[in-house]
Amino acid sequence: MLVLVGYLVVVGTVFGGYALMGGHFGVLFQPVEVLMIGGAALGAFVAGNNGKTIKATMKELPLLLRSTKHNQQLYMDLLALLYELLAKARKDGMMKLESDVESPKESEIFNRYPSIMAEHEVMEFLCDYLRLMVSGNTDAFEIEALMDHEIETIRHEAEVPSHSLARVGDALPALGIVAAVLGVVHALGSANLPPSEMGALIAHAMVGTFLGVLLAYGFVMPLATVINQKVEEGMKVFQCAKVTLLASLNGYAPQLAVEFGRKVLFSTERPTFNELDEHVREVKAR
């Protein structure tokens, strides 16, 4: 929703300012230049990316209109889930987690946290490393290195849409200049026209530069920024799980292990120690 609000502010201030200075909106209506700039940008996007990137970008764009799912409640559920799993392992032994890890959909513990169950990548990450912990013979340093590599891979894939949109945004001002140059060429090719008509043609040509810059910095580049911010928020889930599991591997009690995980969260979503403790108690009492 903030994306739409931002777009309304951009349009309102730019065109409102133009109206206040006495500008004529008819001059700005140049559908042919919009066609040239938009078509060239779309063509460059398709030509410069593979099928996976195009599909990932198209899938990501509608999600920008939704509010973020990485809120305090999600992190509290993640930490509570990890606490329950690690507490069970500490009390009954790691082998008791095997059934939970191998069949999470049938696990009583996992089913208490539907918000985490809905995050398929997070579930795969958790189950894979819990499975390694159950198997034994795990070295904390090797597990940490493996986690870092996997998180970096997940980050790289998640950033693909933002990089592709940023490249389109970088190209739009130049494509606007292309449209403007073609408009100037058309105006110079009509040198026999009276000055008033020549002036109108040149004004129409300059709209291309205006549109290219406006579309780049007012519309496309902000989308790339929002996707980057969402990626950073999403990575906190994996980093929180990583730090918690590593703390457990290093011998810390479950209550202290989740405290390690809580500390890596952004301050805006980080629950307090008491909030997390109360949440765990509430879930276990259901």
Side-chain angles (χ1 to χ4, degrees), residues 148-166:
D148 288 337
H149 286 306
E150 183 170 358
I151 291 174
E152 183 59 31
T153 300
I154 295 171
R155 179 194 297 274
H156 178 76
E157 290 181 341
E159 288 177 342
V160 163
S162 69
H163 291 328
S164 64
L165 286 175

Side-chain angles (χ1 to χ4, degrees), residues 1 20 26 51 85 92 96 114 133 145 163 179 210-211 222 266:
M1 187 59 67
L20 289 174
L85 291 169
D92 303 326
K96 289 294 184 180
M133 293 170 65
H163 291 328
F210 159 73
L211 288 176
F266 290 128

Side-chain angles (χ1 to χ4, degrees), residues 49-58 157 160-161:
N49 297 288
N50 56 30
K52 291 189 294 183
T53 299
I54 295 172
K55 183 177 179 181
T57 305
M58 293 298 104
E157 290 181 341
V160 163

Side-chain angles (χ1 to χ4, degrees), residues 1-13 61-67 218-220 222-223 226:
M1 187 59 67
L2 289 177
V3 173
L4 295 179
V5 172
Y7 281 172
L8 288 175
V9 172
V10 169
V11 172
T13 53
L61 289 176
L63 301 179
L64 297 178
L65 300 179
R66 303 180 186 177
S67 59
F219 291 89
V220 177
L223 294 183
V226 171

Side-chain angles (χ1 to χ4, degrees), residues 30 49 52 60 81 93 133 150 188 195 236 269 275 283:
Q30 300 298 324
N49 297 288
K52 291 189 294 183
E60 186 67 29
L81 169 62
M133 293 170 65
E150 183 170 358
L188 294 177
K236 279 299 173 185
E269 286 82 34
E275 285 175 338
V283 172

Side-chain angles (χ1 to χ4, degrees), residues 32-38 40 172-186 204-209 211-212:
V32 175
E33 296 210 353
V34 173
L35 173 64
M36 286 191 289
I37 297 169
L172 276 169
L175 295 176
I177 293 173
V178 170
V181 169
L182 290 177
V184 171
V185 170
H186 171 59
H204 295 166
M206 301 315 303
V207 171
T209 302
L211 288 176

